[in-house]
């Protein structure tokens, strides 16, 4: 158990260990206190270590507190220390009686710690010290300098006596002779290494000095006095690494040569001109080459470069003029042409910058208008729009495309004006178009057959009329499918009705697994309440008949519904009907007929009947799944006042939704925290987490979920229906004084009733709340 014992502890300035040996010794085994390790703080949350160390030469104590060092005088706790945590006890005779301290552990085990008696200190005139925070004491064996040459007898593990010559080292340090020899040998080896390092360092410094002098000398001779004198070309890269490295590589001028072995005009920025004298010295010392003189310029490369510049100017001017022609084709000003190109490709071509040469994007002018059979794609196909361009523009486009991708013959297929569209692709597109037309006609007919359902309007319900039930999710998919356009339009067809209806019946009893919708009275008529996206929706018998024809339903297997009235004083209807109270809004004029209607209430009778057993079992399983969670978030708000704000109350009372979306924006207030919890987390543990996060003492916490107070510390979150994402709020009663949470953690004695692990988080726990439904 992590608990720091802070009771005063008395310890001597010296220890006589001679009487503590199992066998007598000839040595004076007096040990002097040399260091004290002090621990400040608690054993749970935080702490800090301070070292008090005695200087053996001067006898003064020093305090080492991180980077702060203080002189304490001749006592470890300072001269005349009066600190409550530690003090000096003078040399008066003191008798410390043996004391036993009982430390209680987490498992009710007891450890007796016996403090030593006064005889342990070898006399009553020994200086003693007392400290509440001393963590470790260090004592050093006391030895005199005149004993440095004396032989000691030591015992090994096998009780064999070994004689070892003790030698005196500096600062009152005694070592065995073999250790002293090893240390001297290591010192001698270290000094030899230092000497070798100095020699190598001096040699390298001399070498660097020589290299610096060489670089200065050669660079001073490198400039060419006049252009009439002969000179040599040298690579700038090699010259740079020659000046930087102590041991340069062989002279290399290959990087400034052209294919003809001469100096090209394009490499002028990568070379330097040096004098013949400097070149001779470079070549004599570093060899390599080749030697490139002022006469070694490449005339062939110069002519080719001039030709390239002229061709680039000509290409740029030609492309600029033809771009204007392409703009006229795209705008419709020029309708006459002889060759087809892709319209989208031509638009991109006109938007590109005017370059000096063809680019990669100039390839494939007819790729998108060529079908898989190698013929002209029908224009009604997607992305196959095409335009006719003049022959002069086509020849320029074709020439660039072949330069960029000479092997891509299919991407630059030629389609003259008289090219015919591919008959196979045309037939396939005609079939697709016919299919799309039939689907559009089918959707239009369904919208006409189910006008109100397609628009999402409510259907007024009449008494003693037969209706049918359909899943609201299926209707939403169907409505999105038949929608002609809009953001909710979808091309995904809803499922076949026969399978959907079967899924709404339990396999065991063949009864209904969902409850019908609620009803509400508006202006004298009865409507199903709201427009829920989940659950069931009531449709007319005519709508059901059309749905069976359109979506593979079987009329006889439908879930039929009849709306009827029953007296308020009548018996409760179960199984085959569901009673729904009308709203308090009057349904019509207060005549005798309406008074009779108001004394009754509507009921929804379903065929087949509702299977309450299966529904209850399913809801119970869903609740158990919700209660079986681990490492999930809940929110806790600290409310400073008598009542919580309305926004917090509404959020706290809302039901758990697995997919609800939580805001990720950070909040500036410190009165809010997200906690990681599990279904088995107890309320006591939750309050400890709130204490640590919000600083409210456990006894002062008044924890709420909505308007309900949560005060059963032994209960788990699952017992009290607290789900992931729930928002709780807590008040500070300020009855008890604030204290450190570390005290609670060290003294905690939880008396929690442990639930058998196999039933934890289920409805079988003994502390199950009566509010679990």
């Amino acid at each position: 158990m992590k608990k720091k014992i802070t009771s005063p502890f008395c310890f001597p300035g010296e220890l006589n260990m001679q009487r503590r040996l199992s066998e007598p010794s000839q040595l004076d085994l007096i040990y002097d206190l040399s260091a004290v390790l002090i621990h400040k703080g608690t054993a749970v949350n935080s702490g800090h270590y301070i070292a008090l160390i005695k200087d053996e030469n001067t006898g003064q104590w020093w305090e080492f507190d991180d980077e702060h060092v203080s002189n304490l005088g001749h006592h470890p706790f300072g001269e005349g220390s009066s600190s409550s945590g530690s003090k000096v006890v003078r040399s008066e005779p003191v008798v410390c009686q043996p004391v036993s301290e009982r430390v209680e552990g987490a498992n009710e085990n007891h450890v007796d710690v016996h403090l030593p008696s006064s005889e342990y200190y070898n006399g009553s005139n020994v200086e003693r010290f007392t400290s509440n925070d001393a963590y470790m004491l260090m004592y050093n064996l006391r030895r005199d300098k005149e004993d440095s040459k004396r032989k000691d007898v030591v015992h090994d593990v096998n009780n064999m006596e070994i004689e070892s010559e003790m030698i005196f080292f500096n600062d009152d340090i005694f070592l065995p002779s073999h250790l002293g020899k090893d240390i001297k040998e290591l010192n001698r080896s270290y000094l030899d290494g230092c000497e070798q390092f100095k020699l190598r360092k001096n040699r390298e410094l001399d070498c660097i000095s020589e290299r610096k002098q060489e670089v200065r000398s050669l660079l001073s001779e490198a400039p060419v006095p006049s252009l009439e004198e002969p000179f040599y070309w040298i690579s700038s890269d090699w010259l740079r690494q020659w000046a930087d490295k102590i041991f340069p590589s062989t002279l290399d001028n290959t990087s400034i040569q052209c294919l003809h072995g001469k100096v090209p005009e394009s490499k002028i920025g990568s070379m330097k001109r040096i004098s013949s004298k400097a070149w001779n010295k470079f070549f004599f010392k570093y060899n390599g080459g080749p030697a490139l003189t002022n006469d070694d310029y490449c005339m062939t490369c110069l002519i080719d470069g001039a030709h390239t510049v002229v061709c680039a100017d000509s290409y740029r001017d030609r492309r600029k003029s033809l771009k204007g022609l392409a703009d006229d084709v795209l705008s419709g000003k020029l309708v006459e042409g002889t060759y087809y190109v892709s319209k989208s490709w031509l638009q991109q071509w006109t938007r590109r910058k005017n370059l000096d040469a063809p680019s990669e994007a100039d390839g494939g002018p007819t790729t998108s208008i060529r079908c898989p059979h190698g013929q002209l794609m029908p224009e009604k196909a997607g992305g196959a729009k095409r335009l006719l361009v003049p022959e002069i523009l086509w020849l320029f486009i074709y020439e660039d495309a072949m330069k960029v991708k000479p092997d891509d013959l299919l991407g630059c297929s030629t389609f003259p004006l008289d090219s015919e569209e591919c008959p196979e692709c045309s037939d396939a597109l005609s079939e697709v178009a016919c299919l799309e037309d039939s689907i559009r006609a089918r959707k239009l007919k369904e919208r006409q057959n189910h006008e109100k359902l397609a628009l999402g309007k409510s259907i007024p319900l009449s008494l003693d009329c037969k209706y049918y039930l359909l899943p609201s999710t299926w209707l939403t998919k169907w409505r999105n499918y038949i929608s002609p356009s809009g953001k909710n339009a979808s091309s995904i067809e809803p499922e076949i009705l026969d399978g959907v209806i079967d899924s709404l019946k339990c396999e065991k009893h063949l009864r209904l697994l969902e409850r019908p919708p609620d009803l509400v009275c508006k202006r004298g008529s009865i409507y199903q309440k709201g427009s829920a996206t989940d659950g069931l929706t009531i449709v007319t018998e005519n709508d059901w008949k059309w749905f069976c024809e359109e979506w593979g339903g079987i009329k006889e297997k439908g879930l039929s519904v009849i709306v009827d009235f029953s007296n308020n004083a009548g018996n409760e209807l179960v199984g085959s009907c569901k009673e729904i109270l009308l709203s308090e809004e009057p349904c019509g004029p207060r005549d005798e007929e309406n008074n009779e209607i108001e004394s009754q209430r509507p009921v929804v009778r379903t065929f087949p009947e509702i299977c309450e057993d299966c529904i209850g079992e399913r809801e119970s399983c869903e609740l158990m799944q919700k209660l079986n969670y681990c490492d999930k978030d809940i929110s806790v708000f600290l409310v400073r006042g008598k009542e919580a704000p309305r926004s917090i109350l509404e959020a706290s009372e809302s039901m758990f939704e697995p997919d609800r979306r939580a805001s990720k924006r950070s909040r500036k207030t410190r009165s809010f925290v997200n906690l990681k919890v599990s279904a088995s987390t107890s309320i006591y543990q939750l309050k400890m987490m709130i204490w640590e996060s919000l600083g409210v003492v456990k006894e002062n916490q008044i924890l709420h979920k909505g308007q309900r107070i949560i005060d059963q510390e032994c209960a788990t979150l699952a017992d009290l229906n607290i789900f992931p994402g729930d928002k709780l709020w807590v008040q500070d009663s300020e009855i008890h004084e604030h204290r450190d949470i570390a005290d609670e953690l060290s003294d905690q004695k939880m008396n929690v009733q442990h639930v058998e692990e196999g039933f934890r988080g289920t409805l079988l726990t003994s502390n199950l709340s009566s509010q679990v439904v």
Side-chain angles (χ1 to χ4, degrees):
M1 186 174 183
K2 290 186 177 180
K3 182 178 180 181
K4 179 180 176 181
I5 301 175
T6 58
S7 57
F9 177 68
C10 181
F11 53 94
E14 65 179 45
L15 290 175
N16 187 350
M17 301 299 294
Q18 190 172 17
R19 289 184 295 172
R20 297 299 176 183
L21 299 179
S22 60
E23 296 181 5
S25 174
Q26 300 177 3
L27 300 177
D28 294 333
L29 301 178
I30 305 298
Y31 288 80
D32 294 318
L33 182 66
S34 61
V36 181
L37 183 62
I38 301 295
H39 178 268
K40 300 288 186 180
T42 65
V44 179
N45 288 340
S46 61
H48 181 63
Y49 288 96
I50 299 174
L52 309 179
I53 304 176
K54 181 181 179 181
D55 188 342
E56 298 296 337
N57 295 324
T58 63
Q60 292 191 350
W61 286 83
W62 295 82
E63 180 184 77
F64 295 85
D65 185 359
D66 290 343
E67 70 274 12
H68 302 290
V69 181
S70 305
N71 191 327
L72 302 177
H74 290 279
H75 296 283
F77 301 109
E79 298 288 351
S81 174
S82 61
S83 172
S84 61
S86 58
K87 63 182 180 179
V88 179
V89 181
R90 299 303 177 181
S91 302
E92 290 79 5
V94 175
V95 178
C96 298
Q97 297 297 332
V99 180
S100 310
E101 182 177 349
R102 175 176 169 179
V103 180
E104 215 171 63
N107 296 324
E108 299 298 329
N109 294 327
H110 305 286
V111 179
D112 290 332
V113 181
H114 296 277
L115 299 182
S117 61
S118 60
E119 66 176 10
Y120 187 80
Y121 301 145
N122 191 25
S124 59
N125 294 324
V126 177
E127 189 176 29
R128 298 174 181 83
F129 309 99
T130 301
S131 174
N132 296 344
D133 298 316
Y135 181 70
M136 180 186 296
L137 306 177
M138 182 176 290
Y139 290 84
N140 279 349
L141 181 64
R142 181 191 300 174
R143 287 189 177 276
D144 298 329
K145 293 183 178 180
E146 55 270 16
D147 297 336
S148 61
K149 298 298 182 179
R150 142 180 105 174
K151 294 183 179 180
D152 291 333
V153 178
V154 295
H155 297 272
D156 64 355
V157 180
N158 299 319
N159 292 325
M160 296 178 61
E161 292 188 356
I162 301 175
E163 290 188 354
S164 60
E165 186 72 21
M166 303 295 290
I167 64 174
F168 171 70
F169 238 61
N170 56 349
D171 296 337
D172 296 338
I173 297 177
F174 296 88
L175 291 176
S177 58
H178 68 281
L179 289 181
K181 292 179 181 179
D182 290 344
I183 292 176
K184 289 181 179 179
E185 185 65 27
L186 289 174
N187 288 339
R188 185 163 45 253
S189 175
Y190 171 75
L191 293 176
D192 292 343
C194 291
E195 190 66 26
Q196 295 295 330
F197 173 77
K198 290 180 181 179
L199 294 176
R200 289 197 304 271
K201 180 180 178 182
N202 293 332
R203 285 197 298 268
E204 291 180 1
L205 290 175
D206 294 341
C207 183
I208 292 173
S209 299
E210 293 177 1
R211 282 285 295 128
K212 288 182 178 179
Q213 185 62 32
E214 179 189 6
V215 171
R216 292 193 190 100
S217 175
L218 284 176
L219 291 181
S220 63
E221 298 176 357
V224 181
S226 63
L227 296 178
E228 288 77 14
E229 295 185 13
F231 57 85
Y232 286 82
W233 295 105
I234 191 170
S235 170
S236 300
D237 293 337
W238 184 88
L239 194 63
R240 188 178 298 109
Q241 65 92 14
W242 165 80
D244 292 339
K245 293 183 178 180
I246 298 178
F247 302 102
S249 59
T250 305
L251 196 155
D252 185 11
N253 267 346
T254 57
S255 61
I256 61 174
Q257 276 186 304
C258 68
L259 298 176
H260 312 101
K262 301 288 185 177
V263 178
E265 178 268 341
S266 59
K267 300 285 187 178
I268 195 67
S270 303
M271 50 190 175
K272 297 291 184 182
R273 184 178 57 184
I274 61 175
S275 63
S276 300
K277 184 179 179 181
W279 169 262
N280 291 331
K281 288 186 176 182
F282 274 120
F283 188 76
F284 175 77
K285 186 169 184 179
Y286 300 106
N287 298 320
L292 301 173
T293 65
N294 54 325
D295 296 328
D296 289 333
Y297 56 86
C298 185
M299 184 60 67
T300 304
C301 292
L302 186 62
I303 295 174
D304 292 343
H307 183 263
T308 302
V309 172
V310 173
C311 291
D313 293 339
S314 175
Y315 177 84
R316 191 164 49 248
D317 295 340
R318 186 182 175 195
R319 181 162 180 157
K320 183 177 180 181
S321 63
L322 292 176
K323 186 179 289 187
L325 190 63
D327 291 335
D328 292 340
V329 172
L330 290 171
S331 62
K333 296 179 181 179
L334 183 61
V335 295
E336 297 180 357
T338 54
Y339 293 92
Y340 287 111
V341 296
S342 169
K343 181 179 180 179
S344 59
W345 182 93
L346 189 62
Q347 289 173 340
Q348 295 296 328
W349 185 82
T350 57
R351 294 170 187 167
R352 286 194 287 273
K353 293 182 179 180
N354 202 9
L355 305 175
D356 297 339
S359 64
E360 192 74 18
D362 291 332
T366 58
T367 301
S368 61
I369 63 173
R370 177 184 175 277
C371 76
H373 310 101
Q375 301 183 37
L376 188 63
M377 179 75 76
E379 195 167 8
K380 56 186 177 181
K385 296 293 182 182
R386 56 181 183 265
L387 293 172
L388 280 171
V389 297
E391 184 176 5
I392 184 174
L393 178 58
W394 166 252
L395 292 177
F396 180 80
I397 291 173
Y398 182 82
E399 181 182 352
D400 284 356
M402 295 308 296
K403 286 181 180 179
V404 173
K405 298 179 179 180
D407 299 330
D408 188 13
L409 300 178
L410 298 179
C412 196
S413 302
T414 303
F415 295 110
L417 176 62
D418 56 352
S419 300
E420 295 183 356
E421 296 180 349
C422 177
E424 296 182 29
C425 294
S426 298
D427 294 341
L429 288 173
S430 299
E431 293 177 2
V432 172
C434 292
L435 180 60
E436 291 178 351
D437 291 340
S438 64
I439 293 176
R440 278 194 294 269
R442 174 188 173 186
K443 291 181 178 180
L444 177 60
K445 184 178 179 181
E446 290 191 28
R447 289 197 299 271
Q448 293 172 351
N449 292 340
H450 313 277
E451 184 177 357
K452 289 189 175 182
L453 284 178
L455 297 176
K457 293 182 178 181
S458 299
I459 301 174
L461 305 177
S462 302
L463 300 177
D464 299 326
C465 291
K466 193 174 184 180
Y467 299 95
Y468 286 85
L469 294 173
L470 281 177
S472 300
T473 54
W474 187 90
L475 281 175
T476 302
K477 290 181 182 179
W478 168 80
R479 194 176 292 114
N480 294 337
Y481 175 72
I482 66 169
S483 178
S485 60
K487 63 179 181 180
N488 293 327
S490 172
S491 59
I492 302 176
E493 294 185 358
E495 299 86 353
I496 300 299
L497 268 180
D498 189 26
V500 173
I501 298 300
D502 288 341
S503 66
L504 295 176
K505 300 176 183 179
C506 65
E507 297 180 358
K508 185 176 181 180
H509 310 99
L510 296 179
R511 293 182 179 180
L512 187 58
L513 280 175
E514 296 286 345
R515 293 188 174 90
D518 298 341
L519 302 181
V520 65
C521 181
K522 294 182 180 179
R523 296 181 296 276
S525 300
I526 301 174
Y527 295 89
Q528 55 189 33
K529 188 176 181 180
S531 56
T533 56
D534 295 327
L536 300 177
T537 301
I538 299 176
V539 299
T540 63
E541 186 175 9
N542 190 46
D543 285 327
W544 170 250
K545 182 185 69 174
W546 283 112
F547 276 135
C548 290
E549 295 180 4
E550 296 159 353
W551 294 101
I554 300 175
K555 185 177 179 181
E556 292 75 14
K557 294 176 64 175
L559 308 175
S560 60
V561 168
I562 294 178
V563 180
D564 198 357
F565 279 106
S566 66
N567 293 328
N568 288 336
N571 297 328
E572 291 288 337
L573 297 175
V574 295
S576 62
C577 66
K578 178 186 176 184
E579 299 184 4
I580 307 296
L581 280 174
L582 291 175
S583 62
E584 296 180 358
E585 179 184 351
C587 297
R590 294 184 177 274
D591 51 16
E592 295 180 359
E593 181 180 355
N594 285 332
N595 289 336
E596 182 181 354
I597 293 176
E598 289 177 0
S599 65
Q600 300 174 339
R601 55 182 179 179
V603 294
V604 178
R605 303 178 187 274
T606 63
F607 303 94
E609 300 174 354
I610 299 173
C611 188
E612 295 291 348
D613 294 339
C614 294
I615 292 177
E617 182 179 353
R618 182 190 62 194
E619 292 177 349
S620 177
C621 292
E622 291 175 355
L623 179 59
M624 291 175 64
Q625 289 178 356
K626 292 178 183 178
L627 294 175
N628 187 18
Y629 58 90
C630 180
D631 199 25
K632 299 296 183 181
D633 284 333
I634 65 169
S635 304
V636 179
F637 295 86
L638 176 59
V639 176
R640 303 186 185 276
K642 294 183 178 179
E643 296 183 358
R646 183 178 177 182
S647 58
I648 295 180
L649 280 177
E650 292 177 353
S652 182
E653 291 177 345
S654 61
M655 294 299 294
F656 168 69
E657 299 174 11
D659 299 325
R660 67 181 171 191
R661 187 175 179 181
S663 174
K664 299 296 183 181
R665 293 179 295 178
S666 61
R667 294 170 172 83
K668 296 183 179 180
T669 176
R670 294 185 180 180
S671 301
F672 165 81
V673 66
N674 280 329
L675 301 176
K676 292 284 186 182
V677 296
S678 302
S680 58
T681 302
S682 66
I683 299 301
Y684 175 84
Q685 293 170 330
L686 177 62
K687 287 188 174 183
M688 294 298 291
M689 296 165 70
I690 296 174
W691 186 355
E692 183 178 7
S693 301
L694 300 179
V696 181
V697 181
K698 175 177 66 67
E699 292 80 6
N700 290 343
Q701 294 179 23
I702 305 176
L703 193 60
H704 300 75
K705 179 180 179 182
Q707 298 289 354
R708 177 164 57 99
I709 297 179
I710 302 172
D711 56 358
Q712 304 176 34
E713 291 193 352
C714 294
T716 64
L717 301 187
D719 296 337
L720 300 179
N721 279 7
I722 297 176
F723 305 108
D726 276 354
K727 299 182 184 298
L728 310 180
W729 58 284
V730 64
Q731 289 177 303
D732 188 356
S733 65
E734 300 181 355
I735 298 176
H736 301 274
E737 293 184 359
H738 177 75
R739 68 180 191 277
D740 192 351
I741 192 175
D743 299 334
E744 174 71 17
L745 291 175
S746 61
D747 297 332
Q748 63 179 336
K749 297 178 181 179
M750 294 179 57
N751 195 14
V752 181
Q753 180 179 359
H754 295 285
V755 180
E756 187 175 343
E757 291 298 327
F759 301 117
R760 184 175 294 279
T762 70
L763 301 180
L764 301 177
T765 55
S766 58
N767 292 328
L768 183 63
S769 174
S770 60
Q771 298 182 14
V772 179
V773 293

